[in-house]
DNA sequence: CATTGTCGAGAGCACTGCTCTCTCACATCA
DNA sequence: TGATGTGAGAGAGCAGTGCTCTCGACAATG
């Protein structure tokens, strides 16, 4: 069935188990709870042996980050099949953040000290939602664009980034994407990180709805 | 001159020195660089002696957080004296975040593991900008409020919070504040945390301008 | 069969926050 | 002045982290 030696098989299995345990620890105790020594302990392995399977802690974090980006982007993908709207993007991300608060913080919160995400491993899953959003905002809805745009060169870097992902948005769409993106993620961060004080947990969806509406979508 | 004993004097001096070193370490190496042992070392003191002056690490963090909130709010205060606009709030916060990226992350990034900010020490400095913003948005500018508001009970918690701070905003103003706040902080987070990829460092102000403009202010 | 490579064990390094006990100098007070 | 008490610092120690190095046992491969 599996065209690989039992040796390789076991290796892959152990690696999968490590990321599984890592994800569980992340969910349970946040990033500081993800400890290689603890994972080794759970595998019934001495602490140094874990480095046979994972180069170092940061390598494990890269896997967890890629997982998280993929998971939230999949959720948004699914939701958009039923209702192709900015609001759906927002509420779906919000719901995901509620289910996986620590994964949310991992990908959208403060960068991890002494960690640099390897771009070739994280850019694609990490930009999927941005691409969806830009496509969504590029559709010819009735845009009342009274707003002033920045000089075109200011958006060069962003435009190039989007072009590498196969998009050809004009400046108005780029600026709208940046704004919606910032607002949606800003709101979710504020909610997840408790910056609005207590009592808002019950009305998160209404706030997202109000925000998207205020943004004009 | 000082109506305190030399004993108390020295104590206060040492405490001030600790927070000064703490802030410097925060600026230099981020939160993980703030180590009580390292501070003690710099004071020429053995590691355990530091606990004479500071209950534990979290107590020091509370001081640093209060400092940071006060610093950024002061900056916004000053700037608003010259130009009382939402854009000024945005660019001032953005500039401050550029000068103090690690302090920014401390107050607006991922919550610190195993740390709970004592509300009575941080709420007031932590909400000053929100108050400013709400006042700013409450002024009778020409509001084209085509947007739908959430049901009034959804904003109860936020309304109460603002009332405790001496404000009496209506629902439209609350929702606008939440939106602008989320977008502005969301944008700065995205810039500081590198979520837009490389190349945007040169045009941060333009992006803030475009965002505020897109928001209709 | 012999060589090569992999996996796990174990010791060790440097670092963290924090606690406990002890000593000593100083300030206060009878 | 002499006894008493207090506060600062020293030092050892605990539990935990990431990570490295070496060595032995075993399996896969030529």
């Amino acid at each position: 069935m599996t065209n690989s030696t039992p040796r390789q098989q076991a290796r892959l299995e152990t690696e999968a188990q490590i990321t599984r345990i890592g994800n569980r620890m992340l969910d349970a105790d946040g990033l500081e709870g993800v400890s290689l020594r603890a994972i080794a302990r759970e595998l019934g392995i001495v602490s140094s042996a874990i480095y046979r399977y994972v180069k170092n802690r940061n390598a494990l974090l890269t896997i967890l980050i890629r997982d998280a980006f993929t998971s939230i982007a999949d959720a948004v993908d699914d939701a958009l099949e039923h209702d192709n709207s900015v609001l759906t993007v927002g509420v779906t991300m919000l719901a995901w953040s509620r289910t996986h608060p620590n994964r949310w913080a991992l990908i959208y919160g403060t960068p991890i000290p002494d960690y640099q995400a390897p771009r070739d491993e994280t850019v694609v899953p990490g930009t999927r939602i941005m691409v969806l959003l830009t496509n969504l905002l590029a559709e010819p809805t009735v845009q009342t664009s009274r707003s002033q745009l920045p000089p075109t060169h200011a958006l060069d870097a962003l435009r190039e980034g989007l072009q590498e992902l196969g998009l050809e948005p004009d400046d108005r769409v780029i600026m709208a994407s940046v704004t919606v993106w910032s607002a949606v993620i800003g709101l979710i961060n504020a909610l997840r990180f408790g910056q609005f004080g207590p009592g808002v947990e019950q009305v998160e969806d209404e706030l997202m709805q109000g925000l998207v509406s205020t943004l004009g979508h």
Side-chain angles (χ1 to χ4, degrees), chain A residues 28-217:
Chain A
D29 299 317
L31 194 53
E32 67 148 15
V34 178
S35 149
L36 292 187
R37 292 182 104 110
I39 294 178
R41 228 174 286 134
E42 185 162 334
L43 289 176
I45 290 286
V46 87
S47 74
S48 61
I50 200 80
Y51 293 92
R52 297 278 173 197
Y53 300 96
V54 131
K55 185 169 174 295
N56 52 34
R57 186 171 185 262
N58 283 353
L60 175 58
L61 297 191
T62 296
I63 296 173
L64 300 183
I65 289 172
R66 197 165 16 79
D67 267 24
F69 272 129
T70 302
S71 165
I72 189 172
D74 283 352
V76 173
D77 266 348
D78 284 1
L80 285 183
E81 299 235 344
H82 300 93
D83 179 40
N84 198 39
S85 70
V86 172
L87 179 57
T88 296
V89 175
V91 295
T92 305
M93 294 181 78
L94 177 55
W96 188 90
S97 82
R98 219 178 290 125
T99 321
H100 308 288
N102 294 328
R103 303 195 198 190
W104 172 271
L106 179 66
I107 55 182
Y108 292 117
T110 306
I112 301 152
D114 302 321
Y115 174 83
Q116 260 284 43
R119 289 188 67 78
D120 52 317
E121 291 189 56
T122 55
V123 162
V124 173
T127 50
R128 280 173 57 191
I129 295 183
M130 189 60 165
V131 171
L132 290 176
L133 197 60
T134 305
N135 277 326
L136 214 52
L137 293 171
E139 293 189 358
T141 65
V142 194
Q143 293 266 5
T144 57
S145 63
R146 268 170 292 97
S147 56
Q148 292 174 5
L149 288 176
T152 217
H153 72 84
L155 302 180
D156 283 352
L158 292 170
R159 193 180 310 108
E160 282 174 27
L162 291 169
Q163 279 170 350
E164 284 174 20
L165 298 167
L167 300 182
E168 208 65 49
D170 67 25
D171 284 10
R172 208 177 326 106
V173 172
I174 297 179
M175 201 58 240
S177 297
V178 168
T179 304
V180 171
W181 169 269
S182 300
V184 166
I185 289 182
L187 176 63
I188 300 179
N189 271 339
L191 292 171
R192 284 292 74 74
F193 299 169
Q195 284 164 2
F196 286 150
V200 280
E201 302 84 5
Q202 316 300 327
V203 294
E204 297 192 348
D205 280 4
E206 282 91 342
L207 290 179
M208 178 60 73
Q209 212 160 341
L211 178 130
V212 171
S213 166
T214 302
L215 290 173
H217 295 279

